[in-house]
Amino acid sequence: MLKIGLTGGIGSGKSTISKMLKEKGFNIIDADVVAREVFNIYPEITLKIKQEFGESFFDENNALKRKEFGNFIFASQVRRKKYEEIILPFIQKEIFNRMSRLHEEGKELCILDAATLIENDLHKCMDVNILVWVDTFTQFERIRNRDKLSHSEILNRINSQMSLEEKSKVVNYSIDNSKSLDNTKKELDKVLEEIGRNFRGVKCLNNLGTN
Ligand code: ATP
């Protein structure tokens, strides 16, 4: 099974491109979805977070208050690191479980959409890596419109990640998502054609055409 990593920064357009790929029929594993679902799959995560950060970040249904907890975590490197030490092993375990299942089902391609693919070294487990690139101004504006966060909350989130320039050095392909969605679709098709040329055995890529 060909494994493709799809990454970028916060608000750079990974979900947008992931949706385009899903519409083409590809199997996508969304690390954000996995990061939410692991709380139900591995109840020990909730216990560990309560031990480390207290019970106040959970509501009466024992669900994490995501926005409040996100602001608390992103405001401090130390807290973020502690949180990641708790949750990352479970997320990675679940991602690889899901990949194995797709492989066993005979799927010939799987895409992992993960903001921190490179920071967590997961790109090294992929056959091909694609970066969704956007200029910083556009990134900031898109996050502001989507998430209604304050100026400093947005900057904290952008600055807590590796820069897109750094990421571009370790991927095989970059897609510029600073322009229109139509332009992005064309860029995506070009990248898929190129991957199809390099991996001729993957039939689902070679049958795509440019739609
Ligand atoms: P995150 O990692 O924070 O979840 P993301 O990388 O998945 O972000 P998206 O949610 O896909 O990013 O995009 C961020 C916002 O920008 C969304 O509101 C999306 O609709 C919008 N957007 C994405 N691409 C474009 C585009 N080419 N033109 C206009 N708006 C766009």
Side-chain angles (χ1 to χ4, degrees):
M1 185 175 74
L2 183 71
K3 299 188 284 299
I4 301 181
L6 180 72
T7 193
I10 174 172
S12 73
K14 295 173 301 300
S15 308
T16 303
I17 291 189
S18 209
K19 196 164 156 257
M20 293 174 186
L21 288 161
K22 206 175 268 172
E23 282 163 10
K24 290 177 185 290
F26 294 118
N27 303 292
I28 317 278
I29 297 175
D30 180 337
D32 282 346
V33 172
V34 175
R36 281 195 295 275
E37 291 180 354
V38 285
F39 280 82
N40 293 329
I41 304 167
Y42 308 101
E44 55 267 50
I45 298 172
T46 299
L47 285 178
K48 285 181 189 232
I49 292 179
K50 283 184 178 173
Q51 273 165 6
E52 186 64 50
F53 301 108
E55 308 227 343
S56 66
F57 293 107
F58 290 84
D59 66 18
E60 59 283 2
N61 300 317
N62 214 21
L64 188 66
K65 296 179 197 164
R66 291 194 171 269
K67 189 158 186 231
E68 207 176 298
F69 187 64
N71 288 336
F72 174 75
I73 290 300
F74 277 104
S76 148
Q77 287 249 346
V78 177
R79 288 179 204 152
R80 230 185 98 217
K81 197 158 180 296
K82 279 189 181 150
Y83 171 65
E84 285 176 353
E85 277 168 11
I86 296 172
I87 193 129
L88 280 179
F90 292 99
I91 296 176
Q92 296 195 0
K93 181 176 171 190
E94 190 55 25
I95 285 172
F96 288 116
N97 282 348
R98 291 180 189 201
M99 279 189 174
S100 298
R101 282 204 291 274
L102 289 171
H103 179 63
E104 282 157 18
E105 286 166 17
K107 303 286 193 270
E108 52 176 9
L109 190 152
C110 154
I111 295 162
L112 171 61
D113 167 359
T116 52
L117 184 87
I118 296 168
E119 289 91 328
N120 295 324
D121 266 351
L122 284 171
H123 66 298
K124 293 179 182 163
C125 307
M126 302 291 124
D127 302 298
V128 180
N129 290 290
I130 303 173
L131 174 74
V132 183
W133 188 87
V134 75
D135 63 82
T136 313
F137 177 76
T138 308
Q139 183 181 24
F140 187 96
E141 285 302 306
R142 286 185 184 160
I143 299 168
R144 197 166 61 86
N145 288 330
R146 185 190 61 179
D147 298 339
K148 313 282 177 248
L149 294 168
S150 72
H151 196 274
S152 63
E153 284 169 344
I154 297 172
L155 287 182
N156 271 338
R157 280 160 169 74
I158 293 177
N159 293 334
S160 72
Q161 296 182 338
M162 189 192 285
S163 75
L164 295 178
E165 272 53 47
E166 279 300 303
K167 289 186 179 187
S168 70
K169 292 177 192 155
V170 296
V171 296
N172 307 91
Y173 302 98
S174 288
I175 293 176
D176 180 1
N177 184 39
S178 304
K179 304 186 186 95
S180 70
L181 288 172
D182 269 353
N183 189 74
T184 299
K185 273 186 191 146
K186 285 185 191 128
E187 293 232 352
L188 174 62
D189 285 339
K190 268 193 259 167
V191 167
L192 292 175
E193 275 177 49
E194 179 94 19
I195 299 173
R197 273 198 292 278
N198 291 334
F199 295 90
R200 288 189 188 277
V202 184
K203 291 193 283 305
C204 63
L205 278 174
N206 294 322
N207 297 337
L208 268 181
T210 47
N211 45 22

